[in-house]
């Protein structure tokens, strides 16, 4: 491994040790942040001692600024700039860029897998019964299927292809009616975590699993305009739960929550004290706050799935009903005051 020239200690590198540092100030690099890698620039270099509290890591540390990430105007403590160790830094070269792309593709594939798994679960029942009609009843007496493809001959093939293209373009459109009170809550939730550096209490009560079970009971016991609730409610709620479990750590967390997520996984899922028979999922730990974040992201999830137009229509109706249910039961579902974590948690997050 080649050693880069050490920067002048007089330029914001007080206390730096030339023998240990292999990077330079203003050097462009790649840096791990959470599960992904981002382009960054080294702003400062310091050799941390036990008295330093920026990130708890003794030895050479580097203050990096992520390209395209604007600093906040509150204070440096919640800036996107952060002190990192050299283990998190990669060279901005072909090998580093290849690794960055590989991780991004892997993360995207995992997100798509979660979307398709949920879509498949939701489609399982809607494929058997769509708005109460048996599967296969879409074939018309004229000998053509719902998609317009004729059973015999090839006439109309171009028209069918054009209709299918239009169908594929329309299937990604899923407009949700988010109640105003929930929109306000989403803003407050964002501000509490990203600006006030607070956290939702975990495990939550009720959990995502419990909320979906309660919603299922609500739909089955009340009169609604939802299509075939006795058949579809459980399937759709199960699909939403699957997608939550697959997407929670990938796309539902703010940066300040990621260390909490890692702690939760270690305590309940991956830690040495966890029994092999344990099947706890994130839907049994997180609650309404993160469920709401997922619901408002569903239109994007649909765009990345293989759901057909009828399945999308069904899911949209049920999700809009679920949003109304969350609004009606907001006092029992959402946490009013978030927790303020310890100082050591903040130091770890900034490491």
């Amino acid at each position: 491994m080649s050693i880069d020239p050490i920067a002048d200690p007089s330029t914001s590198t007080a206390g730096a040790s030339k023998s240990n540092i292999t990077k330079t100030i203003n050097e462009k690099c790649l840096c791990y942040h959470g599960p992904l890698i981002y382009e960054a620039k080294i702003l400062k270099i310091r050799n941390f001692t036990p008295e330093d509290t920026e990130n708890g890591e003794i030895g050479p540390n580097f203050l990096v600024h992520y390209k395209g990430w604007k600093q906040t105007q509150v204070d440096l403590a919640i800036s996107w700039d952060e002190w990192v160790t050299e283990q998190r830094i990669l060279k901005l070269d072909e090998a580093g860029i290849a690794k960055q792309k590989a991780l991004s593709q892997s993360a995207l594939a995992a997100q798509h897998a979660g979307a398709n798994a949920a879509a498949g679960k939701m489609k399982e029942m809607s494929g058997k019964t769509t708005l109460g009609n048996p599967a296969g009843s879409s074939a018309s007496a004229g000998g053509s299927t719902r998609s317009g493809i004729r059973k015999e001959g090839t006439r109309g093939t171009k028209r069918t292809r054009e209709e299918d293209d239009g169908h594929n373009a329309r299937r990604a459109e899923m407009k949700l009616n988010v109640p105003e009170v929930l929109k306000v809550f989403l803003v407050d939730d964002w501000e509490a975590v990203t600006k006030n550096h607070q956290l939702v209490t975990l495990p939550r009560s009720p959990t995502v699993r419990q909320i979906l079970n309660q919603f299922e009971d609500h739909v089955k016991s009340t009169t609604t305009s939802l299509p075939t609730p006795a058949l579809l409610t459980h399937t759709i709620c199960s699909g939403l739960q699957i997608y939550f479990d697959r997407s929670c750590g990938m796309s539902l967390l703010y940066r300040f929550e990621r260390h909490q997520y890692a702690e939760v996984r270690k305590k309940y899922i991956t830690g040495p004290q966890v029994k092999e028979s344990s099947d706890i999922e994130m839907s049994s730990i997180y609650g309404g706050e993160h469920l709401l974040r997922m619901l408002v992201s569903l239109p994007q999830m649909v765009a990345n799935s293989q759901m057909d137009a009828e399945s999308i229509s069904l899911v949209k109706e049920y999700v809009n009903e679920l949003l109304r249910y969350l609004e009606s039961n907001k006092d029992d579902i959402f946490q009013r005051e978030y927790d303020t974590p310890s100082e050591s948690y903040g130091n770890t997050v900034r490491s």
Side-chain angles (χ1 to χ4, degrees):
M1 174 179 177
S2 61
I3 304 298
D4 296 330
I6 185 66
D8 184 350
S10 65
T11 57
S12 304
T13 59
S17 169
K18 292 186 179 182
S19 61
N20 294 332
I21 299 177
T22 62
K23 304 296 179 185
T24 61
I25 291 177
N26 294 325
E27 178 182 347
K28 293 182 179 180
C29 61
L30 296 172
C31 187
Y32 281 98
H33 182 79
L36 300 177
I37 297 174
Y38 300 92
E39 186 174 344
K41 180 180 179 180
I42 298 175
L43 303 180
K44 295 181 181 180
I45 302 174
R46 280 179 55 188
N47 210 31
F48 282 3
T49 66
E51 288 73 31
D52 292 303
T53 59
E54 281 84 348
N55 68 356
E57 294 287 344
I58 300 174
N61 280 259
F62 308 82
L63 181 64
V64 299
H65 171 71
Y66 296 100
K67 182 179 179 180
W69 294 25
K70 295 182 179 179
Q71 295 186 10
T72 63
Q73 299 300 317
V74 184
D75 65 347
L76 183 59
I78 59 174
S79 168
W80 288 114
D81 298 350
E82 62 174 341
W83 288 97
V84 302
T85 59
E86 191 168 14
Q87 286 71 24
R88 286 177 54 183
I89 297 177
L90 300 174
K91 283 186 173 294
L92 184 58
D93 55 16
E94 290 185 4
I97 293 173
K99 191 166 190 177
Q100 179 189 35
K101 290 182 178 179
L103 285 177
S104 296
Q105 291 172 354
S106 176
L108 186 60
Q111 186 173 359
H112 287 186
N116 288 332
K121 184 69 173 178
M122 294 174 187
K123 190 176 179 181
E124 180 182 334
M125 285 300 295
S126 63
K128 297 177 181 178
T129 171
T130 301
L131 300 181
N133 295 329
S137 64
S138 57
S140 68
S144 62
T145 66
R146 182 181 59 210
S147 65
I149 301 175
R150 298 180 61 86
K151 288 185 177 180
E152 298 178 1
T154 58
R155 291 185 62 187
T157 301
K158 182 177 181 180
R159 179 180 178 84
T160 297
R161 187 160 54 243
E162 292 172 350
E163 290 174 350
D164 287 345
D165 289 343
H167 168 76
N168 290 334
R170 289 192 301 272
R171 72 178 178 83
E173 296 179 4
M174 180 179 178
K175 295 182 180 179
L176 299 178
N177 299 319
V178 182
E180 289 300 321
V181 64
L182 297 185
K183 292 180 181 178
V184 172
F185 175 81
L186 285 167
V187 174
D188 292 342
D189 171 57
W190 171 83
E191 187 173 81
V193 177
T194 63
K195 288 192 174 183
N196 300 338
H197 278 190
Q198 296 176 302
L199 296 169
V200 172
T201 304
L202 294 180
R204 282 289 290 118
S205 179
T207 64
V208 170
R209 181 191 292 265
Q210 291 170 337
I211 293 170
L212 292 175
N213 288 340
Q214 292 165 6
F215 172 68
E216 183 178 344
D217 293 339
H218 162 76
V219 171
K220 292 180 177 180
S221 62
T222 58
T223 302
T224 68
S225 60
L226 295 174
T228 56
L231 291 174
L232 294 179
T233 306
H234 178 72
T235 300
I236 289 178
C237 287
S238 296
L240 291 173
Q241 182 180 320
I242 290 172
Y243 183 62
F244 184 90
D245 291 331
R246 299 284 183 91
S247 64
C248 181
M250 191 64 62
S251 58
L252 301 183
L253 303 176
Y254 296 116
R255 175 194 171 223
F256 193 70
E257 297 174 304
R258 293 194 176 280
H259 181 64
Q260 182 190 39
Y261 173 79
E263 290 180 330
V264 164
R265 280 187 54 83
K266 183 177 181 180
K267 182 175 181 179
Y268 295 101
I269 300 176
T270 63
Q273 78 285 356
V274 179
K275 297 180 180 179
E276 291 185 6
S277 58
S278 176
D279 60 349
I280 294 178
E281 298 283 0
M282 289 300 159
S283 54
S284 296
I285 299 174
Y286 285 83
E289 299 78 17
H290 293 79
L291 174 62
L292 180 57
R293 295 184 199 175
M294 186 200 77
L295 293 178
V296 298
S297 73
L298 279 178
Q300 181 62 39
M301 180 270 278
V302 166
N304 294 328
S305 75
Q306 300 300 318
M307 294 175 67
D308 57 56
E310 287 179 299
S311 296
I312 291 175
S313 178
L314 286 171
V315 173
K316 181 176 71 172
E317 290 188 64
Y318 275 83
V319 170
N320 279 328
E321 183 67 26
L322 176 55
L323 289 170
R324 289 190 287 270
Y325 176 82
L326 295 179
E327 179 187 23
S328 300
N329 297 274
K330 60 183 182 301
D331 292 336
D332 297 324
I333 291 176
F334 299 112
Q335 187 170 346
R336 294 186 179 182
E337 297 292 334
Y338 286 17
D339 294 337
T340 299
S342 64
E343 182 179 352
S344 62
Y345 179 94
N347 292 337
T348 302
V349 169
R350 292 191 293 273
S351 66

